[in-house]
Amino acid sequence: MERQIMKTKRICRIAFSPTHGTDAVAAAIACAWEAPGLRIDLTDRSDDFSKYAFTRDDMCIAAAPAYAGRIPEAAAERLKMMDGGGAPAVAAVAYGNRAYDDALIELCDTLGAAGFRVIAAVAAIAEHSICRQFAAGRPDRDDRGILRSFGEKIMRASELGFVPAKVSPPGARPYRQRVKIPMTPHAGGACTKCGICARRCPVGAIPENDPSETDAERCITCMRCVTVCPHKARRLNPVKHWLARRKLEKVCSVPRKNELYIWMAPGGRDS
């Protein structure tokens, strides 16, 4: 444990949030700080993420969803392009009520590799992006209050100078193998080829010259295209979607709690 008092001059919200739940988690945590803000959208593949550099005067809330127990590969690659500059960071993973497995420890490692200093980690519940009846509406009002209180605890710890040399949330190294979700959204007859889905796809899986198509190899089933389509033209195969819901019912039906991993003072951990 190192004692290093930090005064935050800027709060930086960095999120990979295709369906907005993950960013809602980051925003709730960030509410604890009254400082000028910077928001970085990791799903914007047109951005040059190497231009972002941070200092120890920044407080960064970096958030990503858990997809089958890992953070999206695109999120990890874009975070590693940044210059963390020793800035304190909170790693936040959002998951849809199943489990986050190795996603949180992977996010902490990714931030460390980019030069950030992870001082706390949060696992938060957000509405499942594929089967939205699981954790529906979360983070809800109660969740946002809890997440803000997490932010306040982290802020107090940093202001008092209790900064951990390393945060160790649950998870394993090597991480679990990436599993490709065997479902890809496709456009139906209502598609007007407006191209919104192609422009907003985080991984460029939808060709702009023919947005009714989807590159199944690139697609990460993040559901961004389904969320942004103004004509509700994109959807998953209904049979596969139904089978996924049935499979998840046993593990996603019990509400889970948000978790905080942080050292508040020598000898004591709040989790």
Side-chain angles (χ1 to χ4, degrees), residues 213-241:
E213 296 297 320
T214 307
D215 184 334
E217 290 302 312
R218 285 190 181 186
C219 178
I220 59 173
T221 321
C222 71
M223 305 300 282
R224 163 64 67 77
C225 61
V226 175
T227 301
V228 302
C229 178
H231 306 289
K232 309 298 181 187
R234 297 186 69 87
R235 64 172 186 164
L236 296 169
N237 177 289
V239 175
K240 290 184 177 181
H241 199 192

Side-chain angles (χ1 to χ4, degrees), residues 45-83:
R45 69 182 193 278
S46 68
D47 202 353
D48 175 12
F49 296 101
S50 65
K51 72 185 180 186
Y52 294 109
F54 305 90
T55 73
R56 290 177 180 268
D57 290 332
D58 294 318
M59 175 64 73
C60 300
I61 315 295
Y67 292 163
R70 299 284 301 275
I71 63 172
E73 196 168 5
E77 291 172 352
R78 292 164 192 177
L79 283 169
K80 287 178 182 177
M81 292 172 66
M82 298 179 180
D83 178 4

Side-chain angles (χ1 to χ4, degrees), residues 11-15 17 20-33 38-39 61-63 92 124 139 143-145 147-149 151:
I11 182 76
C12 305
R13 201 167 97 214
I14 309 166
S17 186
H20 310 301
T22 300
D23 190 51
V25 167
I29 298 169
C31 278
W33 283 267
L38 171 67
R39 184 181 176 191
I61 315 295
D143 290 320
R144 292 193 296 272
L147 293 169
R148 181 184 177 113
S149 74

Side-chain angles (χ1 to χ4, degrees), residues 2-146:
E2 177 184 337
R3 188 170 175 80
Q4 179 189 327
I5 298 174
M6 296 182 291
K7 293 184 178 180
T8 300
K9 293 184 179 179
R10 183 175 64 163
I11 182 76
C12 305
R13 201 167 97 214
I14 309 166
F16 189 96
S17 186
T19 57
H20 310 301
T22 300
D23 190 51
V25 167
I29 298 169
C31 278
W33 283 267
E34 293 183 2
L38 171 67
R39 184 181 176 191
I40 300 172
D41 179 6
L42 290 175
T43 68
D44 182 1
R45 69 182 193 278
S46 68
D47 202 353
D48 175 12
F49 296 101
S50 65
K51 72 185 180 186
Y52 294 109
F54 305 90
T55 73
R56 290 177 180 268
D57 290 332
D58 294 318
M59 175 64 73
C60 300
I61 315 295
Y67 292 163
R70 299 284 301 275
I71 63 172
E73 196 168 5
E77 291 172 352
R78 292 164 192 177
L79 283 169
K80 287 178 182 177
M81 292 172 66
M82 298 179 180
D83 178 4
V90 179
V93 159
Y95 70 107
N97 223 39
R98 185 191 70 81
Y100 54 90
D101 299 304
D102 301 333
L104 191 54
I105 198 167
E106 181 184 13
L107 180 55
C108 289
D109 291 346
T110 300
L111 290 168
F116 294 92
R117 187 170 189 186
V118 181
I119 64 170
V122 173
I125 311 301
E127 186 173 288
H128 198 286
S129 59
I130 296 175
C131 299
R132 307 199 76 141
Q133 70 269 39
F134 301 124
R138 299 184 70 181
D140 56 22
R141 185 175 181 177
D142 289 341
D143 290 320
R144 292 193 296 272
I146 290 168

